[in-house]
Amino acid sequence: MSCTEQTGTRTGIVAVTTAEHEDRSANDPHPAVIALVLATGTAVLVGAEFVPAGVLPLLADDLHVTEGRAGLAVAATALAGAITAPTIASVLPRADRRRVLLGLLALALISNVLVALAPTLPLLLAGRVLLGIAIAGYWSFTFGVGVEITGRPALISTAMSLGTSLATIIGVPLASVLGDSIGWRGVFVILIAVTAVSGLAVARLLPPVPAHPSAGAAMMRQALGNRRLMAGVAMVALAAFGNFAAYPYIRVALQAVTPSLVTVLLLAWGLGGLAGNLLGGWLSTRLRLGVALAPAVLMTGLALMAAHPSAVVVALAVVAWGTGFNMVPVTTQLWVSRMEPKRVESAVSLQVTAFQVAITLGAIVGGLVVDHRDVWTAMAVGAVAATLAAVGFAVIRLVPRAD
């Protein structure tokens, strides 16, 4: 995910002038180093969120549950994130943001430990709830922290987007390969290690970052009063629901069509995701087109998956699916930021909330459909939701709020 750079101004997250940045200590790390540290944390958390999709059959078999129920490992994370994203700034309105990021990465580490050791699904879900809190909080603060330190929103935006892309490209297919060789629990042990390294990097390289003076409940209430923003947030939820009604079961679908190419096709999904991220950024000057095109491409991929007439079509569908979905967070975060230029932190929090609610509902509904019908019906449900999101974004006017 990424936010737009507002020409000539610093948006509502930060109000740091050029002079203030020049006063920073010469010992502060280079902006590129700060961006890399924050992007690494993003990649670790996003990778942890979606690893279950790459090891779902193994996880379900080990815990003696259906694949539909195992998909709740994604839903539990998202539900916790949906509650956390709009409230964490109010709970921690004045806390030093560096300490907050460290605490969130520590929470993610504890989550991965619990999951790696969990003997039953309920205990695993408890660990995944902690991860949801960590992800939503990290996303809510990282952009502001990076811009506060570096004064370079475009750099931070690009870094976060690349972190997400790399987690998607590498995380799920790598988890699938490693899960087959060292078991799904071994994958989470690796996540424990990389999360610890990320936390150490934040502790070592980031300076203290005070909270923004206007952060808190008042900013959120004002953002909630923007009807166009809230309509867009609803479309974000529809697009994300369309993806996550199907995504936890992508390996199940691919194994049914071409079991020998599962890892290759998961990698193709991730490469499509990288293309979608870049395309989403390229459309930053044509956001009304971008936010409508993203779910339209997603719909195309899911509809082709639902039909699955051949392995070739499935391969094309997977690339389109990855491209379309990964356009969604980039374009919609730019869109909400432009809609509320003076309340970006709250607008982005609402976008994160929409994603997490949609992930929760999508994983639950998708699991029910998979258990009671089949995985192809789940793909069709996702395609319908993505279609509605594309139509909705096409008719909402992008009018930045002036007050």
Side-chain angles (χ1 to χ4, degrees):
M1 297 183 190
S2 59
C3 288
T4 186
E5 179 175 358
Q6 300 294 326
T7 304
T9 65
R10 298 289 182 229
T11 61
I13 293 183
V14 291
V16 182
T17 65
T18 302
E20 286 172 324
H21 282 294
E22 290 174 350
D23 289 339
R24 286 193 179 276
S25 168
N27 293 325
D28 280 356
H30 190 277
V33 175
I34 297 296
L36 177 61
V37 169
L38 295 175
T40 300
T42 301
V44 167
L45 292 171
V46 172
E49 182 171 18
F50 298 127
V51 154
V55 297
L56 193 68
L58 302 173
L59 189 154
D61 184 64
D62 186 37
L63 297 180
H64 308 293
V65 297
T66 66
E67 290 170 344
R69 290 189 65 199
L72 294 175
V74 176
T77 302
L79 178 61
I83 297 170
T84 301
T87 59
I88 191 167
S90 299
V91 174
L92 302 168
R94 300 293 173 260
D96 179 274
R97 294 324 194 205
R98 172 179 171 273
R99 292 184 178 180
V100 172
L101 293 184
L102 282 171
L104 293 168
L105 287 169
L107 197 62
L109 189 149
I110 294 169
S111 163
N112 291 327
V113 170
L114 291 175
V115 171
L117 298 176
T120 64
L121 182 62
L123 289 176
L124 181 144
L125 296 181
R128 298 289 292 176
V129 165
L130 298 182
L131 180 66
I133 296 171
I135 291 171
Y138 197 90
W139 271 114
S140 295
F141 295 127
T142 302
F143 181 76
V145 167
V147 177
E148 173 72 18
I149 298 171
T150 67
R152 297 172 63 179
L155 173 65
I156 301 303
S157 168
T158 301
M160 291 178 65
S161 178
L162 288 175
T164 301
S165 295
L166 288 174
T168 304
I169 293 169
I170 298 173
V172 174
L174 183 61
S176 179
V177 172
L178 290 175
D180 289 339
S181 59
I182 64 174
W184 70 269
R185 295 181 189 274
V187 174
F188 278 92
V189 171
I190 293 174
L191 281 172
I192 292 168
V194 296
T195 304
V197 170
S198 178
L200 290 172
V202 169
R204 175 69 179 84
L205 296 172
L206 262 63
V209 181
H212 189 271
S214 65
M219 181 189 285
M220 179 59 71
R221 285 195 298 269
Q222 291 168 339
L224 288 170
N226 186 334
R227 289 181 293 178
R228 285 193 179 93
L229 173 68
M230 296 311 296
V233 167
M235 295 307 106
V236 173
L238 271 175
F241 174 88
N243 181 75
F244 289 103
Y247 186 70
Y249 314 103
I250 185 171
R251 179 169 175 171
V252 177
L254 295 177
Q255 282 183 327
V257 176
T258 174
S260 63
L261 295 177
V262 169
T263 301
V264 173
L265 291 177
L266 287 173
L267 179 60
W269 191 98
L271 292 174
L274 178 59
N277 245 305
L278 297 174
L279 181 58
W282 182 72
L283 289 168
S284 62
T285 58
R286 304 185 68 187
L287 280 181
R288 192 171 181 185
L289 170 64
V291 292
L293 182 62
V297 176
L298 171 62
M299 175 274 294
T300 301
L302 289 172
L304 290 173
M305 284 292 293
H308 66 284
S310 68
V312 173
V313 171
V314 167
L316 294 173
V318 164
V319 174
W321 181 359
T323 300
F325 174 67
N326 284 275
M327 288 175 67
V328 172
V330 177
T331 56
T332 59
Q333 193 164 34
L334 291 167
W335 190 91
V336 300
S337 300
R338 196 163 294 174
M339 187 69 81
E340 273 288 1
K342 296 183 179 180
R343 303 173 185 88
V344 174
E345 183 175 287
S346 293
V348 170
S349 294
L350 290 171
Q351 186 231 19
V352 173
T353 301
F355 259 89
Q356 301 302 331
V357 169
I359 292 170
T360 305
L361 296 178
I364 292 172
V365 171
L368 291 172
V369 171
V370 169
D371 283 348
H372 293 89
R373 293 293 296 273
D374 53 48
V375 71
W376 313 115
T377 305
M379 305 290 166
V381 170
V384 171
T387 301
L388 294 174
V391 172
F393 268 125
V395 301
I396 299 172
R397 292 177 59 209
L398 179 53
V399 181
R401 188 171 177 177
D403 60 334

